Amino acid sequence: MKHVDIVLSGVGGQGILTLASIMGMAAIIEGYDTKVAEVHGMAQRGGSVVCHVRIGEKVSSPLVMEGSADMVISLELSETLKVLQYLKSKRGVVVLNSNALPPPISMILDFQYPSLEAILEELKGIAGEVYVINAHEIASSIGSPQSANIVMLGSAWATGKLALSEESIMKAISRTFRKDAAKINQKAFEEGARIVKKLL
Amino acid sequence: MREDREEVVLMLGNEAIARGAIEGDVKVATAYPGTPSTEVIETLVSLSKDYDLYVEWSVNEKVAFEVALAASYCNLRSLTAMKHVGLNVASDPLFTSAYTGVRGGFVIVSADDPSCYSSQNEQDNRIYGLHAYIPVVEPSSPQEAKDMTIYSLEISEKYGAPIILRTVTRLSHSRGPVKLGSVRRSSKKAVFERKPEKYVCLPANARRMRLEAIERLNAVEKEFNNSSFNAVEGESKVGILACGLAYAYVIDALDNLDLSYKPSILKLSTIHPIPKEFVARFLEDKEKVLVVEELEPLVELQVKALCHDLKLRVRVHGKDLIPLAGELTPLRVLKGLASFLGVNVELPDIKVKLQAPLRPPILCAGCPHRSAFYAIKMAVKKVKVEAIYPSDIGCYTLGYYPPLELVDTTICMGAGVGLACGFAKFTDKVVIATVGESTFYHACIPALINAVFNPSSFVLVVLDNNFTAMTGGQPSPATGVNAMGQQVKRVLPEDIAKACGVEFCKVVDPYDVDLMISSIIEAIEHVKRGLGPAVIVSRRACSLTLLRESRLGRVKLEKRAVETDKCKGCMTCIKLVGCPALIPRAGKIVIDENTCTGCGLCERSCPYKAIEVVRS
């Protein structure tokens, strides 16, 4: 393996930074080099958030080059569209949360929020594999709606493309959260993974 | 961060700088918060007790600079961190500090923001080094950010020169593995030796000091010739000179090119003064060289001058092939490199036809600024005046977006009040300026005094939410507590306004929208009669604090909910208020109970009275 390049997208407040940093931490536990590019400040106030995670023997740039991401993980339905240019054409994996959060401004400007069907249609010529996860529902079902980000991590991991072991991710989760929260997030990870394993 | 053992930790660039400060025996660290620099001091705040470190959120960058400079004059190592435009505010002491020189190592962290992710411009602060006779270094990874912080402290102390450590958003906010070094904290105490001839920049002293500053810079250049942070890789007649983080993009871009040879790379981390001997050795046998640096062609121009002076026949490229504006990316560097090397490269061509909705940042649910803006809008509508809305830098700049649209100007910290002085004098419109309390203390007070001194009648709404909110809720002088956790006297905007000579001054809770509207109308009447500036302090804590307090059971919020039967799905609430807690679902509106703080604006706006306080 030279690199695994991942681009994450979503909305400020969904826990993208936490997700990205857990992946980076797991990479270090695994003995890899890594870089994680985050977005802070202005962009976080409910705006679009994009993070890059790179894992490999030697990683220099924190940014993934357009056309070279092995995977896109999107925590919000329509935000998927904003990072597809990073995907390896027809080979990259897309793991997307079907939960839609239409921004108020699109209502004010009468913008038609794209449907899941339209997005899947768009992905047909672009992505290699697509996984649609209702992460919000899964996280709510275990009593922790704010763990949708970790559900997505579980799903992304279960595709087998992350180059990280379950053990290192679990370790990174337990280092990130306090006791009880770590437990529920490990559960969220397992649930997210289970859904994808069922599909495979 | 508290680890004293040598191990590898995933660290943000800014955290790495903070760790470098700890390992490098920094005793005093100061800043005014500003993206992308905030986490440097925020990290040090969390470590201050463990490492006997004085940390301060200063009132502005100039004060932050001066407090840290005083520590250095007292032979303590110190660090001040600011965003690029913060250094404009601190530029006055910056220039003269190069004249006096320093004693304890003194590092100025300048976090530049290429692509303006959170800023009003994308200036390249390395140029300050050139202008002010101050050395500049630029790390290329979180590991180097830590190591070069220590290096900068040592160089600064050895040569008595203040030094700028330049980082950029992408480095400050990227995580990478950082190998920790050992922490050796000295027990040094501040000692100031009175030496007026060294610290008083009277003309007679200043003329001598300028020569000393030039000498210091020359000495540092010699040191930089041997810096282990500069390195040459490979041998070839084709060279690439990469500065700071651009080095990382160059490595990636080369990986993506199919070349029959390997160009020689000079990784340059000491940017100013460029180590001429070291760079000349690299240039000597080259046919052509590409300089890759973020923003301005600072190194490119110096390299061109060097080639001219040494009569080298190297073709030097730079900003003709690498973009001048905007952040560098691996792809932008790849394109530049391909054209420099004369090779073809297949560029990624994914085209996405389906459009995603715009999602600009917005004010949080229940944000008191939204209530204040809403009230201003209603008041102006009621009295039927035309108004101009100068504003400032903070969360409330987001009042620019629909449906509020009450931000006509945003220039720099404090400019709103200065502009208001001018607009009120030169136009016949009513001027209503908005500014957050932290920005008010930072840079608005002289302008407010000016409005009394050179009479100017405008409304100034000080949006006092008790914190510097945009950067994550650092304490402001209004908070009553400081970075060290000390309980301190609150400095209130209304007291300052009165002391400045402002006669109309009111404090209103923006959640009391009716009182807010009538107060603004009163203020408008006051300025229309030309009676001088009218200040309204709109006081309510940041809604994120409110939410936190309510989760801890300390306050009870009157959260709202929609009665689904009554909701006609007209979306008026979203169109008038635009609160992110209002979520359209199945043609109607639901209110997100997790983020609603009970400001009640949606209830006011609903034509069908479908929104009510939740009874529990």
Side-chain angles (χ1 to χ4, degrees), chain B residues 181-243:
Chain B
S182 52
V183 175
R184 282 188 219 96
R185 307 286 295 167
S186 74
S187 53
K188 269 191 187 170
K189 296 278 172 255
V191 179
F192 180 70
E193 287 171 34
R194 295 184 64 194
K195 270 193 195 165
E197 69 283 5
K198 180 167 168 62
Y199 299 117
V200 179
C201 296
L202 277 170
N205 291 337
R207 284 177 212 119
R208 183 199 75 238
M209 288 173 174
R210 176 162 159 77
L211 298 175
E212 289 167 3
I214 294 167
E215 261 172 43
R216 273 194 289 271
L217 206 65
N218 289 336
V220 171
E221 185 193 325
K222 286 203 181 77
E223 173 84 39
F224 281 174
N225 273 314
N226 301 311
S227 170
S228 61
F229 293 99
N230 300 326
V232 175
E233 299 162 26
E235 275 180 43
S236 165
K237 289 194 179 320
V238 177
I240 300 164
L241 198 162
C243 308

Side-chain angles (χ1 to χ4, degrees), chain A residues 2 25 33-36 38 40 42 45 47-48 54 60-62 66 76 78-79 82 87 101 103 107 122, chain B residues 10 12 39 173-175 177 249 251-252 255 330-331 348 350 353-354 356-359 361-362 469-470 571:
Chain A
K2 195 161 186 195
M25 226 184 268
D33 192 5
T34 184
K35 291 273 159 42
V36 178
E38 303 182 348
H40 295 207
M42 190 78 136
R45 297 278 176 281
S48 299
R54 307 190 66 213
S60 6
S61 156
E66 286 85 341
E76 199 275 345
S78 71
E79 291 299 309
K82 293 185 186 163
L87 212 56
L101 299 172
M107 311 283 300
E122 184 78 37
Chain B
L10 185 69
L12 212 53
E39 299 81 5
H173 290 165
S174 283
R175 290 180 194 275
Y249 302 140
I251 296 296
D252 264 26
D255 262 359
L331 185 63
I350 288 185
K353 285 171 284 243
L354 191 58
L358 286 174
R359 200 184 291 273
I362 48 173
M470 187 93 225
M571 306 291 160

Side-chain angles (χ1 to χ4, degrees), chain B residues 22 30 71 73 86 117 142 179 185 226 283 289 307 320 322 328 385 399 401 431 447 493 535 552 588:
Chain B
I22 296 291
T30 62
Y73 285 165
Y117 286 98
K179 190 169 189 298
R185 307 286 295 167
N226 301 311
L283 293 172
V289 164
C307 289
D320 52 338
I322 299 292
L328 292 184
V385 288
Y401 290 106
V431 176
V535 171
L552 294 169
K588 301 203 173 190

Side-chain angles (χ1 to χ4, degrees), chain A residues 79-99:
Chain A
E79 291 299 309
T80 316
L81 297 167
K82 293 185 186 163
V83 290
L84 292 178
Q85 74 275 18
Y86 288 105
L87 212 56
K88 273 182 184 158
S89 185
K90 298 189 176 65
R91 283 178 295 150
V93 178
V94 174
V95 184
L96 70 89
N97 183 358
S98 57
N99 191 31

